[in-house]
Amino acid sequence: MGAEPELFTSSITDPVERQHTIVNIADRRSRAASGKAVAAKLSFVFSITLSEHPHIITTYPVFIGTIDHFVLSQELATAGTLHDVIRSEIGIPEAAVKRCARQISSALDFVYQPSTMHRDLKPDNVLLMDEDCNQIKLSDFGLTQPAGYYVSSMSHIVPYMSPELCDLKDGEYLLLSPTIDTWAFGVLLFVALTGYFPWLEATVYDSMYQVYVDWRQCTDCTPPPANWKMLSRKVICMFNNILSQCPSFQQSVLSIFNYFNFPWKVKVLEYGS
């Protein structure tokens, strides 16, 4: 006979609600093999604790664990993910990007209140309740950890990783802070607005990133990188503030509220070609 499943619950979800839920299943064997079984349960705790925010996906207070799987029950996001609606080389309408920005920044600020970091912000983890982004939900707290913890290098680099994360070598550790999420938030907004990645990795080995870094030294002296030319001066100022290479100078995710009354994209270039 197989092992009996573990059941953790503080209350059973109402049967009527169950028909509006999805089941989120993660492979337990790989987690157990790498010592991450406890992390999965911690992720469940974070998901439950943060569920009260209107722009964070609701996780119902029931958790089933077997030898092979962890099972969480969450509300259904009826319109898929933000990744699904971003058109390559086009993005999504500016108004929709601004709606996403308001809601994501609010959700992140709520995550930070108990001094936790999301650590995996990307369009795939932004769930949509409608295709126009009127109601979005931040999801996936599998990597969430309290601030003040040290994290090691990742197995691979993705465009949403901050420079300090990208630069980590084997055996090196980084103290967690909100700047990691703020950087990912900036990259996410750029992708949603333009349909392009600003770079593939924030390192000296990425030519697109180096062009951006060089341009930032004197934005009035040289034209912006190709994929930035469609953006207004105001929104470029916003991006430069949240994508600062120096974490101590980086502005918070809530700083974007200073830019909602300005256009983010322009039809007539504001910089020279």
Side-chain angles (χ1 to χ4, degrees):
M1 292 181 61
E4 290 294 322
E6 302 170 89
L7 175 64
F8 304 86
T9 178
S10 58
S11 65
I12 300 299
T13 304
D14 185 273
V16 176
E17 286 185 314
R18 284 181 180 164
Q19 60 185 315
H20 300 298
T21 67
I22 56 173
V23 175
N24 180 5
I25 301 177
D27 185 350
R28 184 171 182 176
R29 285 167 293 189
S30 62
R31 289 180 179 269
S34 59
K36 294 184 178 179
V38 174
K41 293 180 181 179
L42 186 60
S43 170
F44 170 69
V45 173
F46 282 131
S47 299
I48 288 290
T49 303
L50 299 169
S51 286
E52 63 185 81
H53 192 275
H55 302 306
I56 293 178
I57 199 73
T58 299
T59 299
Y60 298 109
V62 60
F63 174 101
I64 300 174
T66 68
I67 290 179
D68 296 325
H69 298 95
F70 295 108
V71 182
L72 306 180
S73 180
Q74 298 178 316
E75 69 177 312
L76 175 65
T78 54
T81 72
L82 180 58
H83 178 272
D84 296 333
V85 299
I86 296 175
R87 297 174 62 188
S88 178
E89 302 181 6
I90 295 175
I92 62 176
E94 178 180 327
V97 178
K98 287 181 175 179
R99 287 194 290 271
C100 286
R102 286 180 185 274
Q103 297 174 72
I104 296 171
S105 60
S106 175
L108 285 175
D109 185 61
F110 184 78
V111 171
Y112 299 155
Q113 298 312 308
S115 297
T116 52
M117 307 296 117
H118 185 277
R119 294 189 61 216
D120 197 18
L121 185 60
K122 56 187 177 182
D124 307 77
N125 290 337
V126 176
L127 306 183
L128 309 182
M129 310 310 283
D130 63 89
E131 293 185 355
D132 294 322
C133 304
N134 291 303
Q135 175 77 343
I136 65 95
K137 302 270 187 169
L138 183 61
S139 70
D140 197 341
F141 295 90
L143 294 180
T144 299
Q145 285 183 307
Y149 272 55
Y150 284 90
V151 293
S152 60
S153 60
M154 304 292 285
S155 59
H156 61 283
I157 295 176
V158 298
Y160 302 95
M161 289 172 60
S162 64
E164 59 268 29
L165 271 178
C166 292
D167 289 342
L168 280 181
K169 307 294 189 298
D170 288 341
E172 295 181 343
Y173 297 87
L174 178 69
L175 185 67
L176 277 182
S177 74
T179 59
I180 293 173
D181 284 344
T182 302
W183 182 277
F185 179 52
V187 175
L188 180 152
L189 292 182
F190 185 91
V191 172
L193 197 58
T194 68
Y196 293 94
F197 284 118
W199 44 73
L200 296 182
E201 57 181 58
T203 70
V204 296
Y205 306 107
D206 188 293
S207 60
M208 292 188 294
Y209 179 67
Q210 284 307 299
V211 168
Y212 169 73
V213 171
D214 293 342
W215 172 63
R216 278 204 56 177
Q217 306 307 312
C218 185
T219 56
D220 291 324
C221 302
T222 57
N227 295 338
W228 294 72
K229 291 181 178 180
M230 66 188 75
L231 305 181
S232 70
R233 286 180 180 268
K234 283 291 186 181
V235 81
I236 284 177
C237 179
M238 179 190 80
F239 279 121
N240 287 344
N241 286 333
I242 60 179
L243 293 174
S244 173
Q245 283 80 39
C246 181
S248 61
F249 292 120
Q250 192 181 77
Q251 293 189 4
S252 76
V253 293
L254 296 182
S255 67
I256 65 164
F257 281 80
N258 297 323
Y259 300 91
F260 283 128
N261 292 330
F262 302 99
W264 286 12
K265 297 182 76 170
V266 293
K267 294 181 179 179
V268 178
L269 299 185
E270 295 184 358
Y271 289 89
S273 59

